[in-house]
Amino acid sequence: MVVFTKKEVVTDNFHGTEIADPYRWLEDPKNPEVQQWVDLQNEKTQEYLSGYPHKDKVKAKLTETWNFPKYTVPRKEGDYFYFHKNDGLQNQAVFYRVKDLDADELEVILDPNTMNEEGTAAITNLSFTKDGKRLAYGISFNGSDWQEIKVRNLETGQDEADLIRFCKFSNIAWNEEGTGFYYNRFPDPSTVPADEQSFNNKVYWHELGTTQDEDVLIYEDPSNKEFSFNPIFSDDYRYLVLNVWKGTENKSRIYYKDLESGGEFVHLFGKGDGEYSFIGNEGRTFYFITNVDAPKEKIIAVDLDNPAKENWVDIIPQRDDVLALGKIINHQFIVSYLQNAHDELKIYDMDGKHVKDIPLQGFNSLTGLTGKKEGDTMFIGYTSYLSPNAIGCYDFKTGELSQVFQQNNKFDTEGFETTQVFYPSKDGTKIPMFLTHRKGLELNGENPLLLYGYGGFNVSLTPAFSPAVRMWIEEGGVYAVANLRGGGEFGEEWYKAGTLERKQNVFDDFAAAAEWLIAQNYTKTSKLAIMGGSNGGLLVATSITQRPDLFGAAICQVPVADMLRYHKFTVGRYWVTDYGNAEKNAEDFEFMIKYSPLHNVKEGVEYPPTLITTADTDDRVVPAHAKKFAATLQAGHEGDNPILLRVEKNAGHGLGKPTAKIIEEQTDVYSFLFKTLGVEIN
């Protein structure tokens, strides 16, 4: 079952330590030998999975579970409500509009299913003019972070000639008249070296009806080539605000320009001393969410004429729970707090006085919140582990929350339950974990259990519905989600406790979750699988190299695995504030080499059955990570457990992946789990 992979003599010197990299040749995706190797890996993977007699049944169950209408939260623009809807099994959701949300006939605005044959076009950005007559939208293909921006005339239904290229993580800010917009982009990738393509972000003004070559450069900072600048208009369109960010660090800077008086950009917050998120203004009073002197975040008011820190006004001070979201709607602050990793929604007036709570029953997460500062309604999307996205319309005049897009819930919630437990990690820290399963679960140590985690980049794992997980629990499985350090569930301190030299805390938290589940007789090692993607793929890869004895199976999705070279590829350098830079800093090398999955595979060890997944056009976590880790694990592994690599073609990190590809991938993943854990399906 193992593919032979040649080794080459390649070494690097890290601060006096020689590190071998025998599979570096796998980093070149254009090498025909690499492509042949990938094809052989895929063949071996499908050969193993085809030996599972119930694979077709798994696919049929997944297809049925996926087949229900899915809506996004509507937004009101001009005279219309706009939203995405997937009928059930469409490859991509279609963007519609209606004047009445109860209408049966929907007007198609953008259908990405018609934009390329592979069904991999994805709408990545939407920005309307104030009058709602035009829409600037971003399109990505094959899962790439790169996008193009086009303009749709919403009166004619046709695209204008405008085309903006070289955009990634970009923002679009129309002027009040709708005659053009500000946006940020990188240089033309063909004009710079590969390792410079995500540097030197700049802000431009695009006049509607002109070519991109005519766009006017508005702002650049050659002395800080790692900075990126997202343009945002103030509520009154007088100020152009730049949200300045560097990689994934939990810090930002704020610059602004008064478009009436002209002049240069003012560096309102230019020190990089914390995170600032602009949420609106009243004249020269600007409102921000910030973590400065508030690790769990607060809302402040800043007078542009007296912006010094001692003059800030705490409108909504920090509290025990993390402030996760804040918007100004109906001239009030709509705020979401994370209460032990699930959302609570509250309304405050503009002076910070608590008005009321909007109850979301049980363990729920917000999936969207839309509304206008001048509006009298807002739309709220929320979900749980047991229920798909529900959408409500809140009327500020009546205080009532009514359901939108009424539909029959095909999923039984009465026969299942989600509970939350707190277990001790290695150092005694209490870690929360959600458990979802059938009611009346017998704690006999025999239950198949899938443990999921992430633990990084200030990302919070809150309750979310997954059709694949739904199938898993219907087949008697337990689904566990551990809220590890490194996430954002409990604020800045929780996040930092899982970064840099403290990253080992994340892996300890995950191992402790597995040990607790076994000790409490939810499962046993041979029935316990772990899963994670991206940074969560790093989590899984590290976990099986550190504790190969603890897990019965592993699903390692689009992983970061080479911690010594990750910063050299595409946007990898964004992650240095979480991981460190082993090449540049000897201190970072010392702790990174201790857990880097690629460098901690030992020969002669029996690793658990492992399926590593990636995609050939992933330009966020390049597939070289998964390829090199798979080759290393296959070479070092002892025993008969399968170590498999699955490389999806014409797909990226996950963005825009067609439903058909998702179902195929999930069929392989869950067939692998059922087979390796010995689960009988109905």
Side-chain angles (χ1 to χ4, degrees), residues 79-95:
D79 296 328
Y80 293 89
F81 298 98
Y82 291 83
F83 55 89
H84 297 270
K85 179 191 176 187
N86 189 311
D87 290 340
L89 296 175
Q90 289 175 289
N91 275 328
Q92 305 289 343
V94 178
F95 192 53

Side-chain angles (χ1 to χ4, degrees), residues 454-471:
Y454 187 80
F457 298 105
N458 204 38
V459 172
S460 301
L461 291 189
T462 59
F465 184 81
S466 160
V469 168
R470 177 68 194 202
M471 181 199 68

Side-chain angles (χ1 to χ4, degrees), residues 39-57:
D39 290 341
L40 186 56
Q41 290 281 352
N42 277 336
E43 288 174 16
K44 292 294 184 182
T45 297
Q46 293 306 318
E47 179 184 323
Y48 176 82
L49 294 172
S50 65
Y52 178 58
H54 305 300
K55 184 180 177 183
D56 288 344
K57 185 184 290 188

